[in-house]
């Protein structure tokens, strides 16, 4: 799956993942109104609206970018109907040839991590039949519980040829509160990064490992250091755009081969139609606005990498 | 909700939370067979079996213990049908007067943590109607992302009079890999514990805070220290029984008032019928075996606290 991701990045020339993070504020009013008309003011209406919104976005961006990253929290907030929309979105994106990174940030003790890994990346046997739950291609994982919280995910990834992005340095302002603490002469995120490099060695694709890391665009200097600490890991870079990360900040996250990083944008693309720059598309043109925003982001990154 | 939990512990004299963590190995064969007969070898069969298994357990233990802790991973492994069983279980337990601790270990950056908090503890407005997703009473939270990952949960808890248990020191063997690292003269878990104490002060119930912590029974010496660091926080103690924690180890987690800790047992209770000690109940008597195991656990803890 890491090979498919790298190929997709080369083919589209866009090291971009689109964050499918639907919120009430982002869903166009005409879609929400229609859903409420059909389902009433219920969670089912929210689920139906998310699915229609996502379908329009996915149809627009498939072929332009290699991957999508649905943030499961944005679906989970609507309970079961929200998660049904998540499930449908994952399956639809895979049909369209997109690599799906489930942004689930799960992590627990051994047997519980195994259950998460099975539900999101693997399969479970019911009687003699192999059944699959959410079945994303990659998942994000929280390392706070240590190796025996992460290894069950890696084990399932090895069986399934799937991958992980492990949180190293997150993009939020207070990420330093624990992650930047000095342990001896190294920070906690540095220590986690070294561990990611070890894990990465155990599950290699052709040129890059199935085991990647998350490092926020909002901390480019840290990206530079972590790039060297984890040479074989793809870095998933959130925080571009709405959170303040800029194209020129991204250069440090890439290797000299022009690969090794994939940059996420969520609101900046799926909510582009709400920005002044793309306002002419109007609400009904939200998917076309997303296409324009993807193209602008691609140009921004390409000019930074030159 | 923390007041309801404390009252429940006093009333039942059982500082015990039953972990509703269904796995294929634990679900009695007669329940699984029936579900497969109705639904085929599908995830729907797993969901139906979990729901029947849980209902039997909950009917048995309601009144004996104050709280249950469904581990959402065990449901998520069966995709949407598993999560439907989780949702039904949470609602049924609340009807039965049990406090429900959703063991979800979520944690993300600001707006995403807000979405998780809304989905699990709060509500969302669809049109003009307030809708609720999973609606547990407490949730477990991972602190790796720092204050702005945790604060959105606390904000929702304040509105809803609900609570959290924040991971401080987990019960697994490799929890020390990051959590035990020395930062200056303190460990990371110590630093997180101090932060929990700060958060706890901002959202107090009558005697205890709505903001608690998770410290594993497998590390009793750490429990002793953390008990002092977080005097107003309830400590949720996993790792008793199957993971190796013993009654005598638990004394350090309690305050002098005999309160301040609630001990989890999952397999030890819901799978008691598979243990030699309770084998006479047979598979069909799994719920009665759970009652016997709860009573034994209660006696074990009470004798340790004397």
């Amino acid at each position: 799956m890491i090979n498919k991701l790298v190929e997709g990045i080369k083919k589209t020339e866009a090291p971009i993942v689109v964050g499918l993070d639907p919120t009430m504020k982002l869903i166009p009013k005409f879609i929400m109104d229609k859903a409420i008309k059909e389902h009433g003011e219920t969670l089912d209406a929210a689920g139906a609206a998310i699915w229609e919104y996502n379908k329009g976005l996915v149809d627009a961006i498939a072929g332009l970018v290699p991957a999508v990253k649905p943030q499961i929290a944005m679906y989970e907030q609507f309970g079961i109907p929200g998660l049904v929309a998540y499930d449908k979105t994952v399956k639809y994106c895979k049909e369209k040839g997109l690599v799906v990174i489930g942004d689930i940030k799960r992590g627990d003790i051994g047997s519980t991590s195994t259950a998460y890994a099975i539900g999101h990346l693997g399969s479970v046997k019911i009687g003699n039949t192999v059944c699959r739950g959410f079945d994303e291609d990659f998942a994000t994982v929280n390392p706070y519980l240590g190796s025996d919280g992460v290894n069950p995910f890696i084990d399932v990834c090895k069986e399934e040829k799937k991958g992980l992005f492990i949180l190293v340095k997150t993009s939020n302002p207070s990420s330093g509160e624990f992650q930047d603490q000095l342990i001896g002469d190294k920070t906690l995120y540095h220590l986690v990064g070294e561990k990611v490099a070890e894990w990465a060695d155990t599950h290699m694709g052709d040129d890059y490992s199935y085991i990647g890391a998350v490092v926020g665009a909002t901390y480019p200097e840290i990206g530079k250091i972590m790039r060297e600490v984890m040479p074989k890991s793809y870095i998933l870079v959130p925080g571009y755009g709405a959170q303040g990360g800029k194209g020129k900040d991204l250069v440090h996250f890439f290797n000299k081969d022009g690969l090794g990083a994939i940059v996420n944008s969520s609101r900046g693309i799926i909510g582009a139609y709400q920005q002044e720059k793309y306002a002419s598309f109007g609400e009904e043109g939200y998917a076309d606005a997303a296409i324009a925003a993807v193209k602008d982001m691609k140009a921004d990154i390409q000019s930074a990498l030159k």
Side-chain angles (χ1 to χ4, degrees), chain A:
Chain A
M1 207 35 84
I2 185 67
N3 299 335
K4 185 181 171 187
L5 182 63
V6 175
E7 277 160 34
I9 290 171
K10 285 180 183 167
K11 196 176 151 196
T12 57
E13 297 181 318
I16 293 173
V17 51
V18 175
L20 295 175
D21 305 353
T23 62
M24 279 297 175
K25 279 185 193 161
L26 290 175
I27 298 172
K29 197 174 168 297
F30 77 97
I31 292 179
M32 198 63 223
D33 286 349
K34 185 183 152 206
I36 288 179
K37 208 170 166 187
E38 273 177 42
H39 300 276
E41 292 181 342
T42 61
L43 294 175
D44 287 324
I50 289 172
W51 166 236
E52 185 172 341
Y53 176 47
N54 280 355
K55 200 169 167 298
L57 290 166
V58 172
D59 288 341
I61 60 169
L64 285 180
V65 296
V68 290
K69 181 176 76 62
Q71 165 54 262
I72 200 169
M74 297 306 173
Y75 302 80
E76 218 165 301
Q77 69 181 322
F78 301 107
I80 297 290
L83 286 163
V84 168
Y86 178 85
D87 193 42
K88 284 165 85 167
T89 299
V90 170
K91 285 168 178 55
Y92 189 68
C93 291
K94 287 171 71 176
E95 273 173 42
K96 289 273 175 176
L98 289 158
V99 172
V100 179
I101 302 169
D103 197 355
I104 61 173
K105 294 193 180 64
R106 303 300 194 244
D108 208 295
I109 66 165
S111 58
T112 311
S113 273
T114 299
Y116 279 130
I118 283 173
H120 287 280
L121 301 168
S123 65
V124 67
K125 229 173 167 181
I126 315 282
N128 293 308
T129 306
V130 174
C131 301
R132 293 179 166 273
F134 292 104
D135 207 19
E136 301 96 320
D137 299 315
F138 285 83
T140 56
V141 167
N142 185 314
Y144 186 69
L145 287 89
S147 287
D148 52 28
V150 175
N151 282 330
F153 282 95
I154 296 177
D155 291 343
V156 170
C157 285
K158 284 181 181 171
E159 278 171 33
E160 302 278 345
K161 295 196 180 260
K162 291 186 173 183
L164 304 177
F165 292 98
I166 294 165
L167 303 190
V168 170
K169 172 69 182 174
T170 54
S171 59
N172 55 318
S174 79
S175 66
E177 211 165 271
F178 302 126
Q179 296 165 23
D180 289 7
Q181 292 289 346
L182 271 181
I183 291 160
D185 58 349
K186 287 175 186 164
T187 57
L188 175 59
Y189 68 74
H190 198 119
L191 211 71
V192 176
E194 288 178 348
K195 207 76 203 166
V196 168
E198 275 178 41
W199 288 322
D201 279 339
T202 72
H203 187 26
M204 281 295 297
D206 291 343
D207 296 311
Y208 280 92
S209 172
Y210 287 87
I211 310 302
V214 174
V215 182
T218 40
Y219 301 102
E221 288 307 312
I222 293 175
K224 197 173 176 178
I225 299 164
M226 288 298 100
R227 181 63 287 167
E228 284 172 25
V229 170
M230 314 174 294
K232 293 293 176 194
S233 287
Y234 245 80
I235 301 180
L236 171 63
V237 188
Y240 173 88
Q243 285 181 55
K246 291 181 182 68
K248 67 175 173 46
D249 296 334
L250 298 173
V251 61
H252 304 308
F253 294 84
F254 288 83
N255 276 321
K256 283 185 182 143
D257 58 5
L259 297 169
I262 184 159
V263 185
N264 179 76
S265 178
S266 303
R267 273 168 289 174
I269 292 172
I270 70 170
Y273 76 97
Q274 295 181 345
Q275 295 169 38
E276 212 182 307
K277 188 176 177 186
Y278 306 107
S280 64
F281 288 98
E283 199 189 61
E284 307 240 353
Y286 75 96
D288 291 327
I291 291 176
V294 164
K295 287 181 178 166
D296 288 346
M297 182 175 170
K298 188 173 157 180
D300 186 33
I301 294 175
Q302 282 178 338
S303 85
L305 288 183
K306 258 170 202 159

